[in-house]
């Protein structure tokens, strides 16, 4: 069920029909990532002028914000198109994760373990245990899937857990991109990147190949993006349950954006 974007200063001053359309605009951006007005108009079967009016209202309410479109590879002439991405306020309409409580709990784990590197390792162990338990059903979804379909199957499984994930071909690369357009723990992961790192380790183990995290919502990007090379010769493996970080395999810069 889509979250209703309400409670903003102007939401009560517009007809319900307009609020309904604006919710659809917000949901479309959540599901597909930062989008141009033209892309939204096509997906929602509206005119670009109508979409722009809704985007202007959502931007005024702090729900979306315009950005320059990120271009991969060579770029043509002219300015990059403007895309509209959800702000933290916009994402909060879909979040029911208790970010502050989670951050305090992880901070307590780190301090109780002794702080410093030992504390960071304790948080990493918790993050790995959490995603390992969550990934058991992902393994079941991928177990009988051929290699070329595993990324799409993982995206479908993640979507069922609220990550609004998609799989697509990577631009100018022999591989695919797993895109998560929503992250329920983005605010907590901003303070504790171990959550992203553990998730990337698990993706590598599930897909049976090296993966590389290219972008994360926690880092300020519009979408969590993971690159998966085309060659996937191994069967999906169960996630490592040992908390020792040396047992993680096939991971490159897990959970971190390249410099």
């Amino acid at each position: 069920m889509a979250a209703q974007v309400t409670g903003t200063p102007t939401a009560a001053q517009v007809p319900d029909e307009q609020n309904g359309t604006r919710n659809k605009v917000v949901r479309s951006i959540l599901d597909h990532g930062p989008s141009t007005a033209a892309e939204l108009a096509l997906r929602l079967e509206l005119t670009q002028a109508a979409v722009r009016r809704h985007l202007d209202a959502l931007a005024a309410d702090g729900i979306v914000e315009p950005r320059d479109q990120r271009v991969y590879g060579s770029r043509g002439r002219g300015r990059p198109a403007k895309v509209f991405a959800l702000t933290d306020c916009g994402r909060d309409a879909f979040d029911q994760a208790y970010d502050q409580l989670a951050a305090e709990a992880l901070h307590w784990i780190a301090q109780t373990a002794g702080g410093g590197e030992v504390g960071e390792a304790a948080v990493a162990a918790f993050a790995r245990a959490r995603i390992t338990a969550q990934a058991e059903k992902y393994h079941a979804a991928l177990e009988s899937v051929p290699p070329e379909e595993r990324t799409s199957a993982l995206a479908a499984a993640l979507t069922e857990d609220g990550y609004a994930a998609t799989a697509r071909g990577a631009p100018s690369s022999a591989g695919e991109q797993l895109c998560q357009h929503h992250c329920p723990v983005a605010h907590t992961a901003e303070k504790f990147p171990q959550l992203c790192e553990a998730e990337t380790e698990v993706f590598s183990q599930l897909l049976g190949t090296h993966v590389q995290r290219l972008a994360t919502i926690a880092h300020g990007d519009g979408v969590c993006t993971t690159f998966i090379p085309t060659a996937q010769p191994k069967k999906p493996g169960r996630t490592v349950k040992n908390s020792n970080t040396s047992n993680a395999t096939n991971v490159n810069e897990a959970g971190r954006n390249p410099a």
Side-chain angles (χ1 to χ4, degrees), residues 29 50 55 84:
I29 296 173
L55 288 171
F84 290 84

Side-chain angles (χ1 to χ4, degrees), residues 139-194:
H139 178 272
L142 271 64
E143 198 167 20
S144 59
V145 175
E148 63 274 13
E149 297 177 13
R150 287 179 194 156
T151 304
S152 295
L154 179 56
L158 287 166
T159 295
E160 289 183 2
D161 279 348
Y163 289 88
T166 58
R168 65 187 183 192
S172 305
S173 300
E176 297 176 283
Q177 286 183 351
L178 176 66
C179 300
Q180 295 158 264
H181 302 284
H182 180 56
C183 176
V185 296
H187 297 312
T188 306
E190 183 179 354
K191 299 176 182 177
F192 296 94
Q194 294 95 327

